[in-house]
Amino acid sequence: MAKPRRFLALCGAMFIMGASLAHAEVTYSSSNPASNGDLGLRIGALMGVEASSLSTLSGERLRRIGTPFTASNRGGARHVMSARQLDAMPRVRGNRQWRCMTEAIYFEARGEEIEGQYAVAEVILNRVDNKNYPATVCEVVNQGTGRRYACQFTYTCDGIPEVVTDQLAWDRAGKIARIMMDGAPRNLTAGATHYHADYVNPRWARVYPRTARYGTHIFYRQQY
């Protein structure tokens, strides 16, 4: 009698295993031919998995996922530190976020050496990735604009119209913006979130650690 019982138990186990595999196949696989009804079940199941995964993310995280061209979601670009090489590169274009970055580099740092222009771009992208600041380049650049003493980047509230008068400098700024937004390393400022010109002395400069200096700009990293 023992032998038939073992045989029946084995058959039962095979039946349960077969049922489990059949369920997995319908839920996850799209490699085998299927009827329209089966395909609908599979797509529905997959969408359910996606919805479940997204539901665990915070609104802030979802917003950052949608932020274009930041170093956290792209990669492979490398700095071009030679002005001659930058000038030899094809002119670049981009979306609104790219233009905001280009404007910030141009109006804040076009008189600086190439390293100093990259450093300004680093600060902007470091803020994008910092929970204390907005999650897109344009929001970071324009934070506080229109409110007295509240703007974060002086050119947005100094009362001087933003007019591009140096096309060569604009093109360089645009190329630097593209390189940084395409994922070039941020290794010039040690994570800086602030900078100021050497002829001013803001209060926060006495609190945050100094991380770098390029030309007239001194860089700092926010500690909290």
Side-chain angles (χ1 to χ4, degrees), residues 110-129:
R110 70 181 180 275
E112 301 290 335
E113 298 294 329
I114 299 300
E115 278 187 324
Q117 296 182 49
Y118 276 110
V120 168
E122 278 194 22
V123 167
I124 295 169
L125 292 177
N126 288 339
R127 286 193 173 202
V128 168
D129 288 345

Side-chain angles (χ1 to χ4, degrees), residues 73-96:
N73 60 20
R74 295 178 68 88
R78 292 293 179 266
H79 296 126
V80 178
M81 291 299 187
S82 163
R84 179 177 297 178
Q85 289 179 331
L86 281 171
D87 294 343
M89 293 169 58
R91 184 178 295 178
V92 299
R93 295 181 180 180
N95 61 8
R96 179 171 175 265

Side-chain angles (χ1 to χ4, degrees), residues 19-216:
S20 299
L21 290 174
H23 175 72
E25 179 68 20
V26 169
T27 305
Y28 300 109
S29 175
S30 61
S31 61
N32 293 335
S35 66
N36 289 339
D38 288 341
L39 185 59
L41 287 173
R42 296 177 186 182
I43 292 174
L46 289 171
M47 291 179 67
V49 172
E50 291 294 323
S52 176
S53 298
L54 288 174
S55 68
T56 65
L57 298 175
S58 66
E60 178 67 14
R61 176 58 180 155
L62 285 172
R63 185 166 60 140
R64 290 183 186 277
I65 289 174
T67 302
F69 303 119
T70 64
S72 62
N73 60 20
R74 295 178 68 88
R78 292 293 179 266
H79 296 126
V80 178
M81 291 299 187
S82 163
R84 179 177 297 178
Q85 289 179 331
L86 281 171
D87 294 343
M89 293 169 58
R91 184 178 295 178
V92 299
R93 295 181 180 180
N95 61 8
R96 179 171 175 265
Q97 303 300 323
W98 168 82
R99 186 171 182 86
C100 287
M101 177 70 84
T102 301
E103 287 179 352
I105 296 170
Y106 177 86
F107 289 112
E108 289 279 304
R110 70 181 180 275
E112 301 290 335
E113 298 294 329
I114 299 300
E115 278 187 324
Q117 296 182 49
Y118 276 110
V120 168
E122 278 194 22
V123 167
I124 295 169
L125 292 177
N126 288 339
R127 286 193 173 202
V128 168
D129 288 345
N130 189 307
K131 65 181 181 180
N132 294 315
Y133 299 95
T136 71
V137 170
C138 288
E139 289 175 314
V140 164
V141 169
N142 293 298
Q143 186 178 16
T145 299
R147 291 182 290 144
R148 191 176 185 184
Y149 306 126
C151 63
Q152 301 296 299
F153 293 84
T154 305
Y155 83 93
T156 67
C157 62
D158 60 6
I160 302 173
E162 283 77 59
V163 179
V164 176
T165 58
D166 186 338
Q167 188 62 50
L168 179 61
W170 172 265
D171 289 343
R172 284 181 187 171
K175 293 167 187 177
I176 292 170
R178 169 54 61 226
I179 289 169
M180 289 304 298
M181 295 173 76
D182 279 353
R186 301 179 207 167
N187 53 12
L188 297 174
T189 66
T193 53
H194 291 67
Y195 65 89
H196 67 77
D198 59 8
Y199 49 82
V200 298
N201 186 27
R203 286 179 295 178
W204 50 258
R206 298 190 289 271
V207 178
Y208 301 151
R210 176 172 166 174
T211 63
R213 175 167 184 160
Y214 295 99
T216 62

